[in-house]
Every structure is written in structure tokens, then in C-alpha cells.
Amino acid sequence: MACIGEEKYCVCAISGSKDQASDAAVAIAEQLAKAAQSSEYRLEFLIPDNYVGSFIGKKGTNLNQMKGPAGNGVVINIRDEPISLGGNKVTLCTLFGPSEDMQKTIDRAARWLGDISIKVQTDRQSEPQPL
């Protein structure tokens, strides 16, 4: 359980191939919508703060690709202020919209976050180790 201000969150880490991570994220969104008795999906991702720009893309290119066609009702919000989770700074990204379109958005976002995860691991391995 993580607390951000007054809000409480259950944090779930997903690992596996990009297909597995994407399928798991969609399944989680389906279960959350079912529990809320909603036809719309809402899912929140944590993005390492140093990689938010990469997630958004130049002039929002990546976000627009994740959202899909204009007018589909999908909304992507990225919180302005990073939060501390353990020893890491992360930024909260909320995806919300109609279930059919959100499945595609979640898939695109999960795959992009998978790429970022690989980059984070590569960057950490290339950092000089303390003696």
C-alpha cells in the first residue's frame, strides 16, 4: 500500500514479456472496472521520474500514439509533481476511458513502459559502482 497525500494506492509490479505484461495490465483494468461496476477502464502506472519525457515523447508524440484516434474518449493524465516510492521518484500516469479503446491504449502504454524498464536497467548497469 502506498499513500500519496490523502490517497491510498495498492501497487502491483508486473513482469514478463511485453505481451505478458500488456495482457496482465488489461486483465487488471478489467477486474477493477468489474469491481467498480463500470464500463470504463481506469489504470494508473508509475513512471520513473527521469523517464517521463521519454514516455511523453517529443511534443507529446508517444502520448498521442498511446491514446489512439482523437475523439475516442481516452484520457491520459500525467501528474505534475513526482512522488517518492521507497528511494525512487516516480510520476503517476492515469489512463481512463471506454473499455474497448482502453484495451489498445493500455497495450501501447504497457509496451512503452516495458521499453523504459529495459532502458532503466541498462542505465543502472552502466552507472559506476561505488568502491
Side-chain angles (χ1 to χ4, degrees):
M1 182 77 65
C3 295
I4 302 169
E6 297 291 318
E7 301 173 69
K8 292 182 181 178
Y9 293 87
C10 289
V11 179
C12 173
I14 300 173
S15 62
S17 70
K18 287 183 186 180
D19 286 340
Q20 291 167 330
S22 174
D23 291 347
V26 169
I28 290 167
E30 287 172 356
Q31 292 305 309
L32 291 172
K34 216 181 267 187
Q37 298 180 348
S38 174
S39 63
E40 296 194 322
Y41 287 0
R42 177 189 170 119
L43 198 60
E44 295 173 313
F45 289 103
L46 297 174
I47 307 166
D49 192 51
N50 292 342
Y51 297 87
V52 172
S54 178
F55 183 79
I56 293 171
K58 198 174 204 173
K59 296 184 180 181
T61 302
N62 296 339
L63 282 185
N64 290 332
Q65 288 176 353
M66 283 180 241
K67 276 176 138 175
N72 67 2
V74 172
V75 176
I76 301 177
N77 288 319
I78 298 185
R79 189 173 277 200
D80 290 334
E81 293 295 317
I83 55 176
S84 292
L85 185 64
N88 300 308
K89 290 268 189 201
V90 295
T91 298
L92 189 67
C93 172
T94 304
L95 311 177
F96 181 79
S99 59
E100 191 172 300
D101 293 307
M102 277 291 290
Q103 288 181 9
K104 295 172 192 145
T105 298
I106 292 168
D107 177 65
R108 292 180 193 117
R111 290 174 186 281
W112 191 241
L113 287 168
D115 289 341
I116 288 173
S117 177
I118 291 167
K119 185 160 178 35
V120 168
Q121 291 172 17
T122 302
D123 290 350
R124 281 187 186 154
Q125 290 172 354
S126 65
E127 288 177 2
Q129 300 299 316
L131 300 175

